Amino acid sequence: MAEIVLNDLNNIQKYVYGEYKSAGGSNIEWLSQLSVKFIDAFKKLHEFLNRGLSKSPNKQIIIHHCMLCANQIVVCLRFLEKTVSTEKDQNSCLITSRQCFFDRIFWCLVRLKSIINSANDHVVSEQINDQANFIEILDAVLDNLASFVNLDDECNVTNKAERRANMIMESKEIFEGINNLLSLTLSFSNIAVSSDHIPLKVLSENLFKLSREFKDEFTFSNTKLNDINAVKKRLKSVELESSLYRLENYVNDSLLRLVYHVFSEINENPLKKLVIDAELKSQGTEIDKFDILIERFLLIGQFAVTFAKDDVKVSSLIKSCLASIESLDTYLIPALTSKIEDPSLDILKEHFYEECDELQRNIHLIIDTKAFCMILVDLIIDSIENNRKTFDKDSLLLILDFSKVLLTHLTVASDNLKLHQDKVALFYFNDFKLIINECEAILTYPDPIENFEQRVLKRYNIMKNTIKKLVSAIRVREADFNEENLKPIVKITEAPPKNSDFFNTIRPSGYGAVLYESKRSIKSSKTQTIPQPSSAKKSAKKRNESLRREIFKKNELKITEDLTQNDDDILDNTDLHITEILDKLSSLSIHIPKKF
């Protein structure tokens, strides 16, 4: 089965390369034939994923990467169609656009062949092995720590020496896992909202100190090991566990704050600012800001993939959007800042914004609405307090942008939230839309207004209360809703201790590339990589959900039809229009039966 798929992919690669060499040689008819060839190959790939991975210990990883490559190929074919159509209308060759999409198709074909070649190997290839992420490492550490937290009195242990030896090894593994966790936290802190930098560092330093003390309690060099009773060991373990949960809670809140900042910036047309910056011949100011924006956007997407990994379709779509944005890094900025107008620019910009919109939509579908709402409530409260001291119109306009992000989220997720079925929730939802319009109207009113500041703050106070009422009216996931858990658990404003040496052995690490090599992934590869702990590869034990905050909902797997029964019908219709063929191709590339 694998040989058949590989043969088809090789033939497609030769077919594409033949036209890639001649600029302007490809046309709509050629793309139609190429799409039909991909339909045939994806049909066989689909069958291979169904039946040919019985011996593979890495089935889930292989499926995810195959679907990512398939999604990317479909995206590239769609934009190649637009490229060829534009070339015909303008009677010119869009070289940059062609190279962008052809290169990605080649990349995906090579990656698919590599994955299929090593599909049934017992060792996962580094090319397809996902890097351990924050949540997986955290779960692994907490699972290992559970045996210490639930430690029984040593008089009940039959072989004390063996038990202590195991604890020494486990404590070292916990310490190493926390080091990896803190490395990712520091990387996150570097691009988090500026107000979160110090709290994240303080929490990280405290966690590192506790983990080091915890490890020292169980080393061979500790002569007092035999004198430590089970109660003291348990207290040390509970203290370390609490510190881990505090860090997790704050990272969750910080991530949601970052979502508000990034989504509001993306909606302000950042590419237009890059063009203006290039025209003014600035020293890369807007390019630097754009780089940070994309770094943040990719990080949010990678967290979203982690929380949606149980839904193959959603996580594949998110990864595909991330990969597209990652790939555009190489082509978009040079085209925007070039002194010579690039005819490919409009297509690249359209691709960028389309992928950004799709990524935001998919993230909105899995964000926990109540947590997202309460983060905005906290931001509004802080803004009101600050503006009572010193009125700052710009900060209030920023909160207004955040409220529009929340409005978009509620609109996108309205079906899941049943907003239109619940009269109370719908009432407060409409009130929320109304107060947003009122806040915007008073802030942008051109003429002087009596008691302007008081009136503005009064409206923002009404917005805060309206969001709270809306949260109480939303009935989705009521069992998981705990009002106390929605309040900020950690409020840290003090600076970290001076002359601290806690992080001398920890280096921040990048999150790596999603699919393509780019300037961002090359930069990340120079930093320390995070090894995946052995316990993180296993399924993490379910912990008491009241002890932690969830920021993203794991969507339930939706039952999808097995498409093999329709494949023959698709292949018979080789005279379909290119768009119809691509629609058929999309259905083969993103739908996987539930048994996966």
Side-chain angles (χ1 to χ4, degrees):
M1 180 70 68
E3 290 77 10
I4 297 175
V5 179
L6 288 171
N7 184 60
D8 276 12
L9 295 178
N10 281 325
N11 290 336
I12 289 175
Q13 198 169 359
K14 292 176 183 177
Y15 185 79
V16 175
Y17 186 68
E19 292 299 330
Y20 179 69
K21 289 189 297 183
S22 91
S26 58
N27 51 39
I28 292 294
E29 290 74 21
W30 178 84
L31 278 177
S32 296
Q33 290 300 317
L34 177 61
S35 299
V36 170
K37 289 178 183 294
F38 270 119
I39 287 176
D40 191 15
F42 281 5
K43 170 193 171 183
K44 293 169 185 175
L45 176 62
H46 182 268
E47 189 175 353
F48 171 72
L49 295 177
N50 267 299
R51 304 173 187 174
L53 295 178
S54 56
K55 298 178 181 179
S56 176
N58 310 300
K59 179 183 291 188
Q60 197 67 27
I61 296 175
I62 292 168
I63 291 172
H64 272 278
H65 280 268
C66 284
M67 301 326 296
L68 174 58
C69 291
N71 287 343
Q72 279 292 288
I73 288 171
V74 173
V75 168
C76 291
L77 288 174
R78 289 187 182 280
F79 276 91
L80 273 176
E81 179 195 6
K82 293 182 180 181
T83 298
V84 173
S85 299
T86 304
E87 287 175 339
K88 184 177 180 181
D89 295 339
Q90 297 182 358
N91 194 25
S92 63
C93 180
L94 307 184
I95 298 176
T96 305
S97 183
R98 277 175 170 269
Q99 184 176 356
C100 174
F101 301 118
F102 273 127
D103 283 351
R104 285 163 65 181
I105 289 176
F106 282 134
W107 183 290
C108 291
L109 286 171
V110 172
R111 175 64 72 88
L112 276 174
K113 285 159 59 178
S114 174
I115 293 171
I116 294 168
N117 271 321
S118 60
N120 288 308
D121 293 348
H122 289 282
V123 179
V124 186
S125 169
E126 288 185 3
Q127 283 189 315
I128 64 170
N129 191 11
D130 287 327
Q131 191 178 35
N133 55 59
F134 183 91
I135 298 301
E136 288 176 343
I137 295 176
L138 178 69
D139 285 344
V141 170
L142 288 171
D143 287 343
N144 286 339
L145 194 57
S147 61
F148 292 84
V149 174
N150 302 319
L151 188 65
D152 294 327
D153 195 290
E154 290 194 0
C155 63
N156 297 326
V157 180
T158 305
N159 190 334
K160 294 183 180 180
E162 182 180 353
R163 173 59 181 143
R164 288 171 185 169
N166 289 337
M167 291 174 72
I168 291 170
M169 298 303 296
E170 289 172 3
S171 66
K172 288 181 178 179
E173 187 173 347
I174 289 171
F175 180 72
E176 291 171 0
I178 289 176
N179 276 356
N180 294 336
L181 190 70
L182 292 179
S183 184
L184 291 175
T185 303
L186 291 175
S187 292
F188 173 68
S189 174
N190 289 336
I191 56 177
V193 179
S194 58
S195 59
D196 288 330
H197 290 178
I198 289 177
L200 284 168
K201 188 174 182 182
V202 170
L203 287 168
S204 298
E205 289 187 344
N206 181 59
L207 177 58
F208 184 74
K209 179 181 177 182
L210 290 174
S211 67
R212 190 170 61 180
E213 292 174 353
F214 175 82
K215 185 195 71 169
D216 290 343
E217 294 289 353
F218 296 95
T219 58
F220 284 111
S221 59
N222 189 350
T223 57
K224 297 181 179 180
L225 180 61
N226 294 330
D227 298 330
I228 301 176
N229 57 38
V231 174
K232 186 174 181 181
K233 292 176 184 176
R234 192 182 301 115
L235 288 174
K236 284 281 184 184
S237 306
V238 170
E239 186 179 15
L240 182 59
E241 184 185 53
S242 299
S243 184
L244 282 165
Y245 282 126
R246 282 196 296 271
L247 178 65
E248 180 192 24
N249 289 334
Y250 200 90
V251 168
N252 286 347
D253 288 347
S254 181
L255 184 60
L256 286 179
R257 281 189 284 272
L258 192 62
V259 169
Y260 278 114
H261 281 269
V262 171
F263 283 17
S264 61
E265 285 185 57
I266 288 290
N267 295 331
E268 289 179 357
N269 195 354
L271 297 183
K272 184 177 181 180
K273 296 178 182 179
L274 279 175
V275 175
I276 295 173
D277 189 58
E279 290 174 350
L280 296 175
K281 298 181 181 179
S282 302
Q283 299 299 316
T285 305
E286 291 299 332
I287 293 179
D288 292 339
K289 291 179 180 178
F290 183 77
D291 279 343
I292 294 173
L293 175 63
I294 297 303
E295 289 277 6
R296 288 174 164 180
F297 204 18
L298 292 174
L299 179 64
I300 291 168
Q302 287 169 338
F303 267 97
V305 169
T306 302
F307 289 104
K309 65 182 180 182
D310 288 344
D311 191 320
V312 177
K313 180 180 177 181
V314 172
S315 61
S316 294
L317 289 173
I318 293 175
K319 274 191 173 183
S320 183
C321 293
L322 291 173
S324 293
I325 294 170
E326 185 177 65
S327 173
L328 281 168
D329 237 10
T330 310
Y331 303 95
L332 188 56
I333 293 180
L336 280 165
T337 56
S338 174
K339 295 179 181 179
I340 303 173
E341 185 176 350
D342 193 331
S344 300
L345 186 55
D346 287 341
I347 290 179
L348 296 178
K349 287 167 64 176
E350 180 185 353
H351 184 26
F352 174 78
Y353 283 120
E354 185 177 298
E355 295 300 320
C356 286
D357 290 344
E358 181 68 12
L359 179 56
Q360 288 184 78
R361 190 187 72 81
N362 282 293
I363 291 175
H364 278 310
L365 287 173
I366 62 174
I367 287 180
D368 185 289
T369 299
K370 290 183 174 179
F372 201 45
C373 287
M374 294 310 295
I375 287 294
L376 182 56
V377 168
D378 293 337
L379 292 171
I380 294 173
I381 291 172
D382 290 341
S383 180
I384 291 174
E385 291 177 356
N386 293 333
N387 277 277
R388 280 175 179 160
K389 299 173 185 176
T390 305
F391 190 81
D392 180 9
K393 185 177 178 180
D394 288 340
S395 68
L396 293 169
L397 286 170
L398 183 61
I399 293 294
L400 183 63
D401 289 338
F402 292 169
S403 67
K404 292 177 181 178
V405 172
L406 178 59
L407 179 61
T408 301
H409 165 72
L410 294 170
T411 304
V412 171
S414 60
D415 290 340
N416 292 340
L417 300 173
K418 297 179 173 50
L419 280 180
H420 298 286
Q421 286 77 21
D422 189 307
K423 292 183 179 179
V424 177
L426 182 60
F427 175 81
Y428 289 123
F429 177 57
N430 290 329
D431 268 5
F432 179 54
K433 290 191 287 187
L434 179 62
I435 193 62
I436 288 176
N437 291 333
E438 288 192 11
C439 289
E440 185 170 25
I442 193 170
L443 284 173
T444 57
Y445 194 73
D447 299 328
I449 299 176
E450 186 179 357
N451 298 324
F452 174 71
E453 295 180 8
Q454 292 85 348
R455 290 186 176 186
V456 170
L457 296 182
K458 180 179 179 180
R459 281 165 173 76
Y460 274 79
N461 200 50
I462 293 172
M463 180 189 288
K464 174 200 69 178
N465 293 330
T466 302
I467 296 172
K468 282 185 173 181
K469 292 173 183 177
L470 178 60
V471 168
S472 64
I474 294 173
R475 297 183 179 181
V476 66
R477 294 175 64 84
E478 283 293 334
D480 294 338
F481 175 53
N482 183 336
E483 192 140 343
E484 290 300 317
N485 286 343
L486 291 177
K487 297 177 181 178
I489 297 176
V490 184
K491 282 282 186 179
I492 301 175
T493 55
E494 66 270 19
K498 293 183 179 180
N499 302 321
S500 173
D501 63 346
F502 292 151
F503 290 159
N504 287 348
T505 60
I506 297 181
R507 294 175 56 200
S509 171
Y511 281 79
V514 178
L515 180 61
Y516 305 104
E517 287 181 2
S518 64
K519 63 179 182 181
R520 225 171 288 278
S521 61
I522 292 171
K523 180 181 177 182
S524 296
S525 67
K526 294 179 181 178
T527 59
Q528 178 189 4
T529 56
I530 297 294
Q532 181 162 330
S534 57
S535 50
K537 296 176 184 177
K538 303 174 184 177
S539 58
K541 300 173 184 176
K542 291 185 178 180
R543 303 193 303 278
N544 186 345
E545 292 299 338
S546 65
L547 295 176
R548 63 186 296 194
R549 284 273 306 281
E550 287 187 31
I551 57 171
F552 288 106
K553 298 178 293 185
K554 290 184 178 179
N555 288 357
E556 294 182 359
L557 289 173
K558 296 179 180 179
I559 299 176
T560 57
E561 271 190 18
D562 189 344
L563 299 172
T564 52
Q565 61 185 355
N566 299 322
D567 290 337
D568 293 334
D569 295 336
I570 295 172
L571 292 172
D572 289 339
N573 295 315
T574 56
D575 58 341
L576 290 175
H577 186 272
I578 176 67
T579 303
E580 294 173 300
I581 295 175
L582 288 174
D583 288 338
K584 300 292 185 181
L585 190 56
S586 297
S587 69
L588 282 174
S589 65
I590 65 175
H591 290 86
I592 293 293
K594 185 179 179 181
K595 61 183 176 182
F596 287 125

